[in-house]
Amino acid sequence: MESPAVTAMESFSEALDAISVSTELIEEELRPHLDTVLAVLQETTERGVAQQVADSGILPTLAQILERRSALNMQTTLLVAELARDASVRERCMEAGLGFALMSLLSSTDQDLLLYTGQAISRICYDNNLLQDQLVQSGIIPHLVAIIEKYPANAPLVSVCLLALCNLADMGEEDSSAVAWERVGPCGEGEKVYRGTRKHSFGFSSTVTMVRLQRWLDDQHSVTVEVLHRCSRALWVTHAGLRAARRFPPAPLSVCPKLYRAVKYGVRNLPKAKSLKSTVFHTLL
């Protein structure tokens, strides 16, 4: 008797084959196959599954589904978001037209669809300057800013759009759940500032990301993304105590490059507002 895992992977392969040969894109026929592929991507722990999806040749078909604005958009967007978790297929997603197909969905009024679309875009462009530049030059920034302004009460959606802006600036995080965003105020006229904090596992250092949205009188926007690395007071106290006692030699700073940069800037007594990186987008809405 075959194990459930074997049966699931067989169904997965059959679903990929069915999607790859589909030419009419009939919703009733594609829906169960998309569900099967999505379920395997979400549940499997095996490596290479996303690569198998890309190798099957269905990425252009997924782009066509999104461009048609069909009832399959939600499933397809979720599927692309899961695929984009794998860094090895992100560039292939863009080559298949999925990045621009996702952009076309950013004008939707369905907030759930916008949420999944933002997740997919954020993951596709993470840590890839070429893909980031392609999306920015295609005008994605105004769409993300417009969503933030239109749905300020939808915290998950705002968070996803902020992370997408950060990833487009090459200053984001791969795991959106690790970042907690909050609105900062008071601000100047036409200005919104959001602060995202990510705590590191050892608890001594934190990364703070500031996203500043500024609307000008002529309906132009500027988007500024800054990243700061800070050390806790406990680290400085511990470091001072160890140095005074002379019990241990200092650890090599190269072990933790982010912490090294924080220590280096801290020793120089630079102001807290000093950012290590900063990117500014100027755009029209």
Side-chain angles (χ1 to χ4, degrees):
M1 183 177 179
E2 291 183 314
S3 67
V6 173
T7 303
M9 292 310 295
E10 287 180 350
S11 299
F12 174 68
S13 298
E14 292 172 359
L16 291 178
D17 291 339
I19 297 172
S20 65
V21 299
S22 176
T23 56
E24 299 297 328
L25 303 182
I26 300 173
E27 294 178 10
E28 292 75 13
E29 294 180 0
L30 286 174
R31 189 182 303 278
H33 300 310
L34 291 172
D35 284 339
T36 298
V37 175
L38 178 59
V40 171
L41 284 170
Q42 290 176 329
E43 297 170 7
T44 187
T45 57
E46 295 183 23
R47 299 184 62 181
V49 174
Q51 188 71 43
Q52 186 177 345
V53 174
D55 290 342
S56 71
I58 72 167
L59 297 185
T61 302
L62 299 180
Q64 291 176 33
I65 293 172
L66 294 178
E67 290 168 352
R68 292 180 59 170
R69 303 289 186 92
S70 70
L72 299 175
N73 278 355
M74 191 76 74
Q75 288 169 291
T76 307
T77 304
L78 272 169
L79 199 159
V80 175
E82 289 298 322
L83 279 175
R85 290 181 184 274
D86 190 324
S88 66
V89 303
R90 291 169 186 161
E91 194 162 340
R92 296 177 67 176
C93 286
M94 284 294 293
E95 291 172 353
L98 280 167
F100 303 117
L102 288 166
M103 274 185 58
S104 69
L105 301 180
L106 292 177
S107 58
S108 171
T109 57
D110 186 326
Q111 295 182 48
D112 289 333
L113 180 59
L114 291 174
L115 178 68
Y116 300 135
T117 302
Q119 287 178 340
I121 290 171
S122 181
R123 291 170 184 169
I124 282 178
C125 69
Y126 176 74
D127 199 27
N128 190 311
N129 296 131
L130 176 61
L131 303 186
Q132 293 158 5
D133 290 343
Q134 288 177 359
L135 289 171
V136 170
Q137 292 172 11
S138 298
I140 194 172
I141 302 298
H143 293 291
L144 295 171
V145 173
I147 292 170
I148 293 172
E149 294 195 333
K150 188 174 182 179
Y151 305 107
N154 189 332
L157 179 56
V158 170
S159 296
V160 162
C161 290
L162 289 170
L163 184 65
L165 288 172
C166 292
N167 284 352
L168 288 165
D170 199 25
M171 299 184 193
E173 297 285 348
E174 191 166 16
D175 181 10
S176 60
S177 64
V179 182
W181 292 96
E182 60 179 340
R183 178 86 178 269
V184 179
C187 301
E189 184 177 356
E191 184 180 47
K192 294 180 180 178
V193 179
Y194 295 87
R195 177 172 57 212
T197 305
R198 185 184 192 281
K199 284 287 185 179
H200 293 273
S201 58
F202 52 84
F204 287 131
S205 174
S206 64
T207 299
V208 178
T209 303
M210 305 295 294
V211 179
R212 190 181 307 272
L213 312 178
Q214 177 69 59
R215 177 186 286 274
W216 308 103
L217 294 178
D218 52 0
D219 285 334
Q220 287 189 347
H221 269 74
S222 67
V223 180
T224 306
V225 180
E226 298 177 284
V227 176
L228 305 93
H229 300 284
R230 295 178 179 174
C231 294
S232 68
R233 180 182 295 274
L235 176 63
W236 295 112
V237 172
T238 302
H239 175 68
L242 291 176
R243 185 173 59 180
R246 296 184 179 180
R247 293 179 180 175
F248 306 103
L253 293 176
S254 59
V255 172
C256 184
K258 286 188 177 181
L259 181 58
Y260 166 69
R261 289 193 291 179
V263 171
K264 180 176 68 175
Y265 281 90
V267 169
R268 291 182 178 178
N269 293 318
L270 293 182
K272 289 184 178 180
K274 181 69 176 180
S275 63
L276 301 184
K277 297 192 292 184
S278 179
T279 292
V280 180
F281 299 110
H282 292 283
T283 186
L284 285 168
L285 280 182

